[in-house]
């Protein structure tokens, strides 16, 4: 990943994690907690693609595993968000622009349900059956509902910031400079002469043609 991608992704994930832990987790809503980190990963994956989405998801999940008050094994949510980020990146539009909000909203619902099921499944493998006591159906419903309500305020903004970070003006200037250097080099290598030399050669040819024309006129007058 490029430096601007890493910097933006790290900043957005940290901000989302702080808001989720300090604000959303203290609302004591019934069922699941609104997953702002998941929505941030989805927004970045829809711009960066499946590889970038997997990397961002793994890093975001690992930070969530280590951030207090986490009470589960480290790496559990990292695995979940890595898989979700990879799958969400596969839904990246080819043109980079979304034609409607139906696709992203469907991705949010599927990701919320998939993340909850995958998290509970990994927990069952390691002996954590907390989801069974809370009630998995209620967790699925509330997770999808909360994330769907937050998605219009989070996902479009994250995608807009990611696209703006991709359009680096310094990179565009350097690419334009390289393109002009390549074009000038191609002209000089293809003709074997520089532009200035070509102008000088044209002037010499024009002078010779004028001299030859003047010589022919003098010869006609002598006859």
């Amino acid at each position: 990943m490029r430096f601007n991608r890493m910097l933006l992704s790290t900043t957005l994930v940290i901000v989302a994690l702080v808001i989720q832990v300090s604000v959303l987790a203290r609302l004591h809503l019934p069922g699941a907690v609104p997953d702002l980190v998941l929505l941030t990963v989805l927004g970045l994956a829809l711009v960066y693609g499946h590889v970038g989405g997997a990397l961002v998801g793994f890093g975001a999940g690992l930070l969530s595993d280590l951030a207090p008050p986490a009470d589960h094994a480290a790496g559990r949510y990292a695995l979940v968000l890595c898989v979700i980020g990879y799958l969400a990146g596969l839904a990246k539009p080819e043109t980079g622009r979304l034609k409607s909000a139906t696709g992203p909203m469907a991705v949010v619902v599927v990701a919320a349900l998939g993340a909850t099921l995958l998290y509970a499944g990994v927990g069952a493998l390691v002996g954590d059956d907390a989801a069974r006591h809370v009630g998995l159906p209620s967790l699925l419903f509330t997770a999808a509902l909360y994330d769907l309500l937050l998605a219009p305020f989070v996902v479009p903004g994250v995608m807009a910031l990611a696209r703006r970070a991709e359009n680096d003006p310094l990179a565009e200037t350097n690419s334009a400079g390289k393109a002009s250097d390549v074009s000038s080099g191609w002209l000089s290598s293809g003709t074997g002469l520089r532009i200035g030399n070509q102008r000088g050669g044209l002037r010499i040819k024009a002078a010779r043609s004028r001299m030859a024309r003047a010589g022919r006129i003098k010869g006609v007058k002598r006859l």
Side-chain angles (χ1 to χ4, degrees), residues 31-100:
V33 176
D35 201 339
L36 193 60
V37 176
L38 173 63
L39 296 178
T40 303
V41 171
L42 292 179
L44 294 173
L46 289 175
V47 177
Y48 296 156
H50 59 282
V51 177
L55 294 175
V56 172
F58 179 80
L62 190 59
L63 287 177
S64 300
D65 290 332
L66 300 177
D71 55 353
H72 55 268
R76 181 176 169 183
Y77 203 50
L79 174 62
V80 172
L81 286 188
C82 181
V83 175
I84 295 299
Y86 179 85
L87 295 178
L90 296 176
K92 173 187 175 183
E94 297 180 357
T95 59
R97 298 290 179 181
L98 297 175
K99 297 181 179 180
S100 65

Side-chain angles (χ1 to χ4, degrees), residues 15 77 133 162:
V15 171
Y77 203 50
H133 297 291

Side-chain angles (χ1 to χ4, degrees), residues 39-181:
L39 296 178
T40 303
V41 171
L42 292 179
L44 294 173
L46 289 175
V47 177
Y48 296 156
H50 59 282
V51 177
L55 294 175
V56 172
F58 179 80
L62 190 59
L63 287 177
S64 300
D65 290 332
L66 300 177
D71 55 353
H72 55 268
R76 181 176 169 183
Y77 203 50
L79 174 62
V80 172
L81 286 188
C82 181
V83 175
I84 295 299
Y86 179 85
L87 295 178
L90 296 176
K92 173 187 175 183
E94 297 180 357
T95 59
R97 298 290 179 181
L98 297 175
K99 297 181 179 180
S100 65
T102 305
M105 293 299 102
V107 171
V108 169
V109 174
V110 173
L113 297 176
T116 305
L117 288 174
L118 188 58
Y119 185 82
V122 175
L125 293 176
V126 298
D128 184 7
D129 55 352
R132 185 180 304 174
H133 297 291
V134 176
L136 187 58
S138 63
L139 283 178
L140 292 173
F141 176 76
T142 53
L145 178 62
Y146 296 154
D147 292 346
L148 190 60
L149 292 176
L150 278 179
F153 305 98
V154 178
V155 176
V158 171
M159 294 181 67
L161 290 175
R163 289 197 188 100
R164 183 172 298 180
E166 288 293 289
N167 298 327
D168 190 358
L170 294 178
E172 292 179 358
T173 304
N174 293 333
S175 62
K178 290 180 180 179
S180 62
D181 293 339

Side-chain angles (χ1 to χ4, degrees), residues 2 45 70 78 87 137 167 173 176 183 188 202 204:
R2 292 182 292 183
L87 295 178
N167 298 327
T173 304
S183 61
S188 61
L202 292 176
I204 294 173

